[in-house]
Structure formats: C-alpha cells, structure tokens
Amino acid sequence: MKDRAASIGTKERLLRAGEQLFRTRGYAGASLKQLTQAAGAPWGSAYHFFPDGKEQLGVEVVRQAGDFYGDGWRESFDRADGPGDAIERVFRAEARILEASDYRNGCPVASVTLDTASTSEALRSACASAFEVWLRAIEGGLRKAGASDGEATALAGFVLSAIEGAIVLSRAAKSPAPLLQSAAFVREVVDRRAEDWRAARANPVQTESSERG
Amino acid sequence: MKDRAASIGTKERLLRAGEQLFRTRGYAGASLKQLTQAAGAPWGSAYHFFPDGKEQLGVEVVRQAGDFYGDGWRESFDRADGPGDAIERVFRAEARILEASDYRNGCPVASVTLDTASTSEALRSACASAFEVWLRAIEGGLRKAGASDGEATALAGFVLSAIEGAIVLSRAAKSPAPLLQSAAFVREVVDRRAEDWRAARANPVQTESSERG
DNA sequence: GTCTATAATACGATAGAC
DNA sequence: GTCTATCGTATTATAGAC
C-alpha cells in the first residue's frame, strides 16, 4: 500500500477528511464545516479547491477511494496464495479495520451510493465507476487464476456484493461475524472453481470435467 | 404479504413515508419537511406522533421494516421449493423492486445504518435488531431444511450480506446484474448443503458423508 | 387534540479583506 | 491567492392559535 498519511497539501487533506467522514457519517450526514475542521483547513479552502462545492468534493473522494482500494485488491491477488486466499485476506483486513475503528470506518463508496444515487447523477456515476474499478481488479485476479471472462465477471460481482453487505451488517451488529461468515462461504465458492480451473488447464480436452456430479 | 397500502392513520403514513425516503435518500438526506409532505401530513404531526423527533421516527421506521420484511423472508421459505429456491426468489424480488423504482428503492435499514451507526446508538441498535429479525427468519428456513443451528446462523449471515451488498452495487450501476450474479452463487452454496442435509437425514449414521471429497 | 407560525440553529455557498 | 465574515436558505424543534 502507498503511504496515505504523508503530510501533503490542503486539497489532499480535504479529500482524506471527506473519505473519513463519509465512511462514518455518510455523505449527507457529513457537513463541509466538519470536513474542513477535520482537515485542519480554513472554511474557504473547500470552495477554493472544489469550486462546485460539496458534490465535486464527493465525486473526487469517491474516485480517489476507487483507485486506492483497487490497488489494494490487486496487491492482495499478487501476494496471496491463490484467489480464495486473496479474497479472504481482504475480508479479514476489512474486519480488522472495522474492529480497530470501533465499527465506524465502513465503505465510503457504499455510504455515498445510498445517500446520493437517487438525487445526484454525478455522484451515482462516480460510485458506479469506483465499484467498477474494484470489480475489474477482482476480475483480473480471477482470470489470472484461470477463470473465463464471463465467469470472472460474475464471480467478481458476487465477491464484492458479499463484502459490501457484510460491512453493513458488521457495522450494525458491531461484530466481525458477518464478514468472517461471508468470507468462508465466498472462499468455498472461489476455491472450488479454482480447483476446476487448475484441472482444466492440466486437462484441456476434458472441458466437462468441472461439472458437479 | 399484508396490505401495506391501506389508507390508515397519519402515524402509519408518516412511517411509510419515512421508509420510502430513507430508502431513496438515506436517513441524513431525508428531511422531516419532505417526510411530512410525502405523507400528506401537516408539519406539526411529526412531533405530535414522535415527540423525540427524527431519531424516534427513524427507530420506529427501522423496527417496522424489520418486522415487515422478516415476514417476507418467512413466507418465501414457506412457499418455495427448498431453501435455495426461497433465497433466489428474494434476490429476484429485490431486483424487480429496484428495476420498477428506477433503482431508487434500496434497503431502508442499510441506509440508516451507514448514516447513523457511528452517531446514534439508538438508531444503530434499531438497525442491528432489524437485521437480527431477518437473520433469524433466514436461519429458521435453513434449519427447517435440515441445517444445524451453527450452520444455519453462519449461512444466514452470508445470505443477508450478499443480498444487502448486491442491492448497493445494483443501485450504483443501475443494473440488476449484481443481484442476479450473487443469487446464482448463493444458491449454489445453499443447494449444495441442502443436498447434504437430505443425505444426512436419509443416512443418519454416516455423518461424514457431507464432506467434500 | 390538530395544525400553523415561528424560533434557533446549521447548512452550503459567496464576497470581500488581507 | 488564502482565509474570514457573512448571506440566504433549510433544518430541527417549539410554541401557541384554533
């Protein structure tokens, strides 16, 4: 992971504070005043760096979060021992993040989606793009493990859905259980297929060998 | 399903309008003014029926949604042809709800969770209870199909996580794909176990027969 | 007991001082 | 070019008319 805590410019601090506040209070529940205060920035700097106001800041926060956590997914696939392990590691990392923050730090993109998807096309579109970045990162990891394009796309949607929902349940319950429960079943699905992919690679002719019987 | 559209008292209309607005705009993004207008109720009635204000209304909206959709889960298990079918039907029903509302009507409990879990213990607790109602409904359906208590609990957490996350992704993408993709994989996991449960019932001695090999 | 009018405050956005 | 002071509006909440 890149060093995100480096002391950099005011705009970057505003974006970081925005991500943090959107995670904990949602987009609508986070005010620009809280945001500038959290960033240690004067009130006017919000409109200096984001002339179009809160919506523009939200769009950039979501885009940055998309890029950053997309890198996280890719790194997990690079480092892990197979796709099932890579995915389980992300679930477990998220469980640690939640526990360490007393279940405050959820997913900023999910929060912005639920608050704004029906009221701001710019923000909904930004959230869709951020999710797309993550989906493609997961897809890429699955394809490298041998998944076909279509299978990788569908599995990626399932994996991301499971972790996003588990984060919501874990936050409500203040417990890592939903994340850990989901991780096990998701891993089961992925590992099962990864085995089939290996078998198909070893036996390229017998394409039906992966059917359950 | 109970008839939810019956023309009843003002309090019930306020609760319904609250559920609808929380689904589309989140808790923080929905104002009491919008809410009373949507309910066709005068401004003062909000504080007449909910003296403690928006938070109290939110708690009651979440509790009612928990009860109502909990019944929905139970009915799906009662009517469907096995637990996998019951669960897939709920995913598909949710996909239809989203499409019919142009992807506005998400889950009110998830929305309230992400906006308030870190700022209002009363609302976080209400959301946790609503999710618990749904989890126990799913658990009950799975146990009736033969799942052990522990297995039913873990599977229910996985199932609810998957659908909640898929709703978020579907809303952002304005596409039913995440819900339909997740439905297939969740069903695969559940059907697989349901087969084992049937086998275990037919062969009560061979408890290890359910291991994959 | 319902509803209208209003208070007090917080919000997003702007304008102008330095 | 940064930051402070302020505007107009929207919010939650209350108080008082009917």
Side-chain angles (χ1 to χ4, degrees):
Chain A
M1 303 247 181
K2 285 172 279 189
D3 183 23
R4 301 185 92 200
S7 88
I8 21 189
T10 302
K11 182 172 184 179
E12 190 62 24
R13 288 210 314 281
L14 286 170
L15 289 172
R16 299 236 144 279
E19 182 188 315
Q20 178 62 24
L21 278 168
F22 295 164
R23 287 171 83 164
T24 55
R25 312 170 67 96
Y27 176 83
S31 76
L32 287 178
K33 192 173 189 177
Q34 296 173 321
L35 209 152
T36 51
Q37 282 177 350
W43 167 245
S45 63
Y47 283 89
H48 175 71
F49 292 107
F50 307 97
D52 289 342
K54 192 182 183 182
E55 189 178 52
Q56 183 188 359
L57 189 147
V59 166
E60 297 200 24
V61 163
V62 167
R63 173 163 40 216
Q64 181 163 300
D67 290 344
F68 181 75
Y69 294 104
D71 289 345
W73 275 105
R74 271 182 289 274
E75 286 169 18
S76 189
F77 276 104
D78 285 345
R79 293 176 181 174
D81 186 20
D85 183 48
I87 290 162
E88 183 172 0
R89 277 167 188 268
V90 175
F91 275 78
R92 290 191 181 277
E94 190 58 41
R96 280 194 300 273
I97 288 170
L98 284 175
E99 283 186 285
S101 65
D102 195 29
Y103 299 93
R104 281 191 292 269
N105 290 353
C107 171
V109 182
S111 295
V112 175
T113 297
L114 295 196
D115 275 358
T116 69
S118 307
T119 55
S120 161
E121 178 58 19
L123 281 164
R124 183 206 62 80
S125 167
C127 291
S129 298
F131 283 136
E132 271 290 321
V133 168
W134 300 351
L135 287 169
R136 280 201 239 270
I138 301 169
E139 254 184 77
L142 293 171
R143 274 204 307 267
K144 274 206 313 192
S148 69
D149 288 4
E151 198 172 23
T153 300
L155 257 177
F158 163 64
V159 168
L160 189 56
S161 292
I163 194 169
E164 287 290 345
I167 292 170
V168 177
L169 294 196
S170 283
R171 286 194 69 198
K174 286 200 171 195
S175 157
L179 271 163
L180 302 181
Q181 290 163 342
S182 297
F185 291 109
V186 169
R187 170 145 205 189
E188 174 185 309
V189 169
V190 173
D191 278 348
R192 191 126 163 284
R193 279 177 170 68
E195 231 172 280
D196 293 344
W197 302 329
R198 277 197 299 273
R201 281 178 165 178
N203 252 357
V205 184
Q206 243 182 330
T207 56
E208 298 304 312
S209 69
S210 63
E211 299 289 330
R212 48 175 152 143
Chain B
M1 302 247 181
K2 286 172 278 188
D3 183 22
R4 303 185 91 199
S7 89
I8 19 184
T10 302
K11 181 172 184 178
E12 189 62 24
R13 288 210 313 281
L14 286 169
L15 289 172
R16 299 236 143 278
E19 182 189 314
Q20 178 61 25
L21 277 168
F22 294 165
R23 287 171 81 162
T24 56
R25 312 170 66 96
Y27 175 83
S31 76
L32 288 179
K33 192 172 189 176
Q34 296 173 321
L35 209 152
T36 51
Q37 282 177 350
W43 167 244
S45 63
Y47 283 89
H48 176 68
F49 291 108
F50 306 98
D52 289 341
K54 191 181 184 184
E55 189 179 52
Q56 183 189 359
L57 188 147
V59 167
E60 297 199 25
V61 163
V62 167
R63 175 163 39 216
Q64 181 162 298
D67 291 343
F68 181 75
Y69 295 103
D71 288 346
W73 274 105
R74 272 183 289 273
E75 286 169 18
S76 188
F77 276 103
D78 285 345
R79 293 176 181 175
D81 186 21
D85 183 48
I87 289 163
E88 184 173 358
R89 278 166 188 269
V90 175
F91 276 77
R92 290 190 180 279
E94 190 58 41
R96 280 194 301 273
I97 288 171
L98 284 176
E99 283 185 287
S101 65
D102 195 30
Y103 298 93
R104 282 192 291 270
N105 289 353
C107 172
V109 183
S111 294
V112 175
T113 297
L114 295 195
D115 274 359
T116 69
S118 306
T119 56
S120 161
E121 178 58 20
L123 280 164
R124 183 206 62 79
S125 167
C127 291
S129 298
F131 283 137
E132 271 290 320
V133 168
W134 300 350
L135 287 168
R136 279 201 241 269
I138 301 169
E139 254 182 78
L142 294 170
R143 274 203 307 268
K144 274 207 311 192
S148 69
D149 288 5
E151 199 173 20
T153 300
L155 257 177
F158 164 64
V159 169
L160 188 56
S161 293
I163 195 169
E164 288 290 345
I167 292 170
V168 177
L169 294 195
S170 283
R171 287 194 69 198
K174 285 200 170 195
S175 156
L179 272 162
L180 302 181
Q181 290 163 345
S182 297
F185 291 108
V186 169
R187 173 149 200 185
E188 173 184 310
V189 169
V190 173
D191 277 349
R192 190 126 165 287
R193 280 178 168 68
E195 232 172 282
D196 293 344
W197 301 331
R198 278 199 298 273
R201 281 177 165 180
N203 253 356
V205 184
Q206 243 182 331
T207 54
E208 297 305 313
S209 70
S210 64
E211 298 289 330
R212 50 176 152 139

